[in-house]
Amino acid sequence: QVQLQESGPGLVKPSQTLSLTCSVSRGSISSNGYHWSWIRQLPGKGLEWLGYIYYIGSPYYNSSLESRLMISIDTSRSQLSLTLSSVTAADTAIYFCAGFSLIANHAFDIWGQGTMVTVSS
Amino acid sequence: QSALTQPASVSGSPGQSITISCTGTRDDVGNYNLVSWYQQHPGNAPTLILFEVNKRPSGISNRFSGSKSGNTASLTISGLQADDEADYYCCSYAGSRINVLFGGGTKLTVL
């Protein structure tokens, strides 16, 4: 079973750029049909889809964040990355990486444990 | 794009059944049979419990069932158990422009 593990700085200052990495293990990031995704959960709130990327092709983004967000994939390292620029306190959240199967079930059936990011000076 | 609409909370006693609704529009829930549901216990990542409206992944109890009518999908949990107490989220694929929408989540309390 594929496993996902997020990693990141934990604390980011306002106006800076947040960078997160998700490592894919026990499977291939080039798995057929999986769109590798970032999802966040604001404190005490619901889930917000940020975007996803297939191992070949362009990423798709939530339009509300598209101007600040970049998602990329490094197949040689089996890693998914997220960069979010000009962060504010409103970006404080748990960030999850997840696998969305566009072929098998159109659902997020693989999740990382999440990494907490706090935006504060 | 607006989130899908779920009730903020529902409750039920052990053994009872509850239903959580998830309302979207004709562009998302109404247009695709691609609604999924997730269970999230505090401090944990969400877990997929239903996909494509009413299909269960391997290992998920048949106490969880789903349906859809028009722009509204529903999750029913029968024979409520204490461990069902969690947050539940619906999600719909919404085409190649919007892609994915989540509901705001519903907190289930088992009385």
Side-chain angles (χ1 to χ4, degrees), chain A residues 39 41 45-49 52 60 62-63 96 100 102 104-109 111-113, chain B residues 1 34 36 38 40 44-48 51-52 89 91 93 96-100 102-104:
Chain A
I39 295 163
Q41 186 167 33
K45 301 294 185 182
L47 303 170
E48 179 181 28
W49 175 74
Y52 53 31
Y60 295 85
N62 184 322
S63 60
F96 296 98
F100 182 83
L102 208 59
N105 53 29
H106 284 84
F108 297 97
D109 60 7
W111 291 76
Q113 65 184 26
Chain B
Q1 58 250 33
L34 298 175
S36 52
Y38 303 84
Q40 186 181 34
N44 290 344
T47 300
L48 177 67
F51 64 94
E52 293 176 357
Y89 293 92
C91 176
Y93 181 69
S96 59
R97 187 177 70 85
I98 294 176
N99 289 282
V100 173
F102 279 103

Side-chain angles (χ1 to χ4, degrees), chain A residues 26-40:
Chain A
R26 298 190 178 185
S28 174
I29 202 168
S30 307
S31 292
N32 190 30
Y34 269 103
H35 282 55
W36 301 104
S37 314
W38 288 101
I39 295 163
R40 72 180 181 181

Side-chain angles (χ1 to χ4, degrees), chain A residues 3-85:
Chain A
Q3 292 187 342
L4 306 179
Q5 178 67 60
E6 305 89 345
S7 58
L11 180 65
V12 182
K13 289 181 168 38
S15 80
Q16 291 190 341
T17 294
L18 165 66
S19 294
L20 297 175
T21 298
C22 174
S23 297
V24 180
S25 60
R26 298 190 178 185
S28 174
I29 202 168
S30 307
S31 292
N32 190 30
Y34 269 103
H35 282 55
W36 301 104
S37 314
W38 288 101
I39 295 163
R40 72 180 181 181
Q41 186 167 33
L42 280 60
K45 301 294 185 182
L47 303 170
E48 179 181 28
W49 175 74
L50 303 182
Y52 53 31
I53 186 169
Y54 192 45
Y55 78 98
I56 51 173
S58 300
Y60 295 85
Y61 297 122
N62 184 322
S63 60
S64 67
L65 291 164
E66 191 167 10
S67 62
R68 300 194 292 130
L69 181 62
M70 185 170 71
I71 293 174
S72 60
I73 196 166
D74 185 337
T75 54
S76 65
R77 292 187 168 190
S78 282
Q79 288 183 339
L80 174 72
S81 296
L82 171 150
T83 59
L84 184 64
S85 62

Side-chain angles (χ1 to χ4, degrees), chain B residues 14-75:
Chain B
Q16 289 186 332
S17 296
I18 62 94
T19 296
I20 299 172
S21 61
C22 169
T23 301
T25 71
R26 62 183 179 182
D27 293 326
D28 39 72
V29 175
N31 198 33
Y32 301 93
N33 288 325
L34 298 175
V35 176
S36 52
W37 288 89
Y38 303 84
Q39 177 191 64
Q40 186 181 34
H41 286 109
N44 290 344
T47 300
L48 177 67
I49 55 173
L50 290 175
F51 64 94
E52 293 176 357
V53 177
N54 56 13
K55 298 177 183 177
R56 287 185 303 277
S58 174
I60 299 300
S61 170
N62 59 9
R63 296 186 301 105
F64 295 90
S65 61
S67 62
K68 193 187 88 167
S69 178
N71 299 334
T72 298
S74 298
L75 164 69

